[in-house]
């Protein structure tokens, strides 16, 4: 009897216990809400254009437009250091036209720019034609061509200043040992010689830019054109003049344009080497404007000298861009 009462209890205890599985609970996760309003605005092309152009316009306004407008205001005022300026119209430009040093700087700027650019173009083209041929150590020679352009202008000009020094000039030493001169040459003591030295240093520094850029243009010329011209009986000069030069002329004009802009506004090289001397005979617009504005504290007068460069520079740029488009 006792076993009959116990069996249901044992059977009940042996039955597997059902495990209660908790029902899944839906948890609401806050999703990323896309700013619909901003997205809709950026999908409009006019607003997107304004957003993309805003950083560039800000930089151009702060670093180019504002200094340019301030320079124009200073040029028509009598502003000096420590005193607010008053509007004087074109009086500063009238004073400049009666200043002999300004007229000399005007002449020097054009002489310096055009002679240096012409020499850089001729020597750069010659170097590019030589580097376009295959020879041993070609890559090393091409890389070494960039050294004058890589070295900071002030450091390289200081080295040139030592080489043109009246006492320690290495050129005087070589010429005297070669028996070509009997006394030292004052390279920077004469106005004409000093201007020649400035042009030589500028050519030394700027020629690699011409050579490398023109070399890149030469390598785009299809060799089949030269072979076809050679089969037709063209010599080397005719192949260069009739085939190579027309094809690289757009590149050449752009390089000349950049070089003329940089040479017109050159300051570091001239100021370190001669400081406009001797007797203000090598001043250009940049160095003379600095002397008047910073050393003489005449900000208005200095700005008018600097601004005198603008019309000529603008004319050169407009002419060359017109010529490039006409050539295309």
């Amino acid at each position: 009897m006792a076993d009959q009462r116990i069996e249901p209890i044992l059977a009940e205890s042996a039955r597997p216990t059902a495990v209660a599985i908790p029902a899944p609970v839906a948890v609401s996760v806050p999703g990323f809400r896309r700013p619909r309003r901003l997205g809709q605005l950026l999908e409009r092309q006019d607003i997107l254009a304004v957003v993309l152009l805003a950083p560039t316009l800000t930089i151009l306004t702060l670093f180019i437009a504002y200094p340019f407008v301030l320079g124009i205001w200073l040029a028509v005022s009598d502003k000096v250091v420590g005193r607010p300026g008053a509007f004087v119209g074109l009086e500063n430009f009238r004073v400049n036209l009666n200043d002999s040093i300004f007229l000399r700087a005007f002449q020097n700027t054009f002489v310096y720019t055009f002679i240096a650019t012409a020499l850089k173009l001729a020597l750069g083209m010659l170097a590019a034609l030589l580097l376009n041929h295959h020879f041993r150590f070609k890559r090393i020679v091409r890389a070494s061509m960039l050294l004058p352009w890589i070295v900071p202008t002030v450091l390289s000009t200081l080295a040139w200043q030592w080489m043109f020094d009246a006492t320690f000039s290495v050129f005087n030493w070589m010429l005297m040992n070669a028996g070509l001169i009997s006394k030292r040459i004052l390279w920077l003591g004469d106005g004409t010689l000093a201007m020649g030295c400035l042009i030589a240093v500028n050519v030394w520094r700027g020629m690699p830019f011409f050579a490398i850029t023109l070399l890149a243009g030469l390598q785009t010329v299809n060799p089949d054109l030269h072979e076809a011209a050679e089969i037709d009986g063209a010599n080397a000069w005719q192949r260069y003049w009739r085939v190579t030069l027309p094809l690289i002329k757009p590149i050449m004009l752009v390089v000349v344009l950049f070089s003329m802009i940089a040479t017109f506004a050159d300051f570091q090289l001239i100021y370190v080497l001669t400081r406009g001397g001797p007797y203000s005979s090598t001043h250009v617009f940049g160095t003379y404007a600095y002397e008047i504005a910073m050393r003489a504290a005449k900000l208005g007068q200095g700005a008018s000298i600097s601004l005198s460069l603008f019309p000529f520079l603008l004319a050169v740029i407009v002419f060359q861009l017109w010529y490039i488009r006409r050539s295309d």
Side-chain angles (χ1 to χ4, degrees), residues 157-170 188 273:
T157 307
L158 286 174
W160 280 101
Q161 189 182 40
W162 176 78
M163 288 189 281
F164 288 131
D165 186 82
T167 305
F168 305 104
S169 172
V170 65
L188 302 180
L273 197 59

Side-chain angles (χ1 to χ4, degrees), residues 71 84 92 101 132 145 155 161 170 197 204 214 228 243 274 286 293 306 327:
N92 289 330
I101 300 178
N132 198 34
M145 285 288 297
L155 293 180
Q161 189 182 40
V170 65
C197 294
W204 170 83
L214 294 176
V243 178
T274 66
S306 181
S327 300

Side-chain angles (χ1 to χ4, degrees), residues 127-128 131 140-149 207-209 211-212:
L131 292 175
I140 297 177
V141 174
R142 286 181 180 178
S144 63
M145 285 288 297
L146 289 174
L147 285 178
W149 201 48
M207 190 268 287
F209 174 69
I212 296 301

Side-chain angles (χ1 to χ4, degrees), residues 78 172 174 191 235 247:
D78 60 351
N172 283 339
M174 289 191 297
N235 55 30
L247 291 175

Side-chain angles (χ1 to χ4, degrees), residues 137-263:
F137 308 113
K138 182 175 65 177
R139 293 183 179 179
I140 297 177
V141 174
R142 286 181 180 178
S144 63
M145 285 288 297
L146 289 174
L147 285 178
W149 201 48
I150 295 173
V151 177
T153 305
V154 174
L155 293 180
S156 60
T157 307
L158 286 174
W160 280 101
Q161 189 182 40
W162 176 78
M163 288 189 281
F164 288 131
D165 186 82
T167 305
F168 305 104
S169 172
V170 65
F171 299 122
N172 283 339
W173 181 84
M174 289 191 297
L175 293 174
M176 292 181 74
N177 282 276
L180 298 177
I181 59 174
S182 57
K183 60 179 182 180
R184 294 185 176 89
I185 298 175
L186 300 177
W187 298 101
L188 302 180
D190 177 78
T192 305
L193 279 178
M195 180 55 69
C197 294
L198 291 173
I199 293 173
V201 177
N202 184 281
V203 171
W204 170 83
R205 179 169 176 75
M207 190 268 287
F209 174 69
F210 277 76
I212 296 301
T213 310
L214 294 176
L215 176 63
L218 289 174
Q219 292 184 341
T220 62
V221 178
N222 191 348
D224 295 341
L225 297 175
H226 283 276
E227 293 179 2
E230 190 173 2
I231 293 173
D232 290 340
N235 55 30
W237 169 252
Q238 290 172 332
R239 292 198 301 275
Y240 169 75
W241 188 256
R242 299 291 183 184
V243 178
T244 304
L245 194 58
L247 291 175
I248 66 170
K249 189 166 66 173
I251 298 175
M252 186 175 65
L253 291 176
V254 172
V255 175
V256 170
L257 175 63
F258 286 163
S259 176
M260 289 190 72
I261 293 172
T263 312

Side-chain angles (χ1 to χ4, degrees), residues 1-219:
M1 293 298 290
D3 294 339
Q4 292 178 353
R5 290 194 299 269
I6 293 172
E7 284 179 356
I9 297 173
L10 294 176
E12 184 67 23
S13 61
R15 187 180 299 169
T17 305
V19 178
I21 301 175
V25 177
V27 178
S28 62
V29 179
F32 174 72
R33 288 187 177 181
R34 186 176 180 178
R36 295 181 179 178
R37 189 177 181 83
L38 179 61
Q40 291 174 353
L41 288 175
L42 293 178
E43 287 177 357
R44 294 176 54 183
Q45 291 186 357
D46 52 346
I47 295 179
L48 181 62
V50 171
V51 172
L52 294 178
L53 289 175
T56 304
L57 291 175
T58 304
I59 293 173
L60 291 177
T61 302
L62 289 177
F63 297 104
I64 295 181
Y66 173 70
F68 182 71
V69 174
L70 181 61
I72 294 176
W73 159 245
L74 290 175
V76 295
S77 70
D78 60 351
K79 171 71 176 173
V80 297
V81 175
R83 183 171 62 84
F87 179 75
V88 293
L90 300 178
E91 177 64 19
N92 289 330
F93 297 95
R94 189 192 65 78
V95 173
N96 291 337
L97 293 178
N98 295 322
D99 185 357
S100 61
I101 300 178
F102 172 82
L103 297 178
R104 183 64 181 269
F106 179 87
Q107 177 186 350
N108 288 341
T109 302
F110 282 87
V111 170
Y112 176 73
T113 300
F114 285 108
I115 293 180
T117 304
L119 290 176
K120 283 185 284 189
L121 176 61
L123 296 176
M125 178 64 76
L126 180 62
L129 291 172
L130 293 175
L131 292 175
N132 198 34
H133 290 81
H134 296 285
F135 56 88
R136 295 183 65 183
F137 308 113
K138 182 175 65 177
R139 293 183 179 179
I140 297 177
V141 174
R142 286 181 180 178
S144 63
M145 285 288 297
L146 289 174
L147 285 178
W149 201 48
I150 295 173
V151 177
T153 305
V154 174
L155 293 180
S156 60
T157 307
L158 286 174
W160 280 101
Q161 189 182 40
W162 176 78
M163 288 189 281
F164 288 131
D165 186 82
T167 305
F168 305 104
S169 172
V170 65
F171 299 122
N172 283 339
W173 181 84
M174 289 191 297
L175 293 174
M176 292 181 74
N177 282 276
L180 298 177
I181 59 174
S182 57
K183 60 179 182 180
R184 294 185 176 89
I185 298 175
L186 300 177
W187 298 101
L188 302 180
D190 177 78
T192 305
L193 279 178
M195 180 55 69
C197 294
L198 291 173
I199 293 173
V201 177
N202 184 281
V203 171
W204 170 83
R205 179 169 176 75
M207 190 268 287
F209 174 69
F210 277 76
I212 296 301
T213 310
L214 294 176
L215 176 63
L218 289 174
Q219 292 184 341

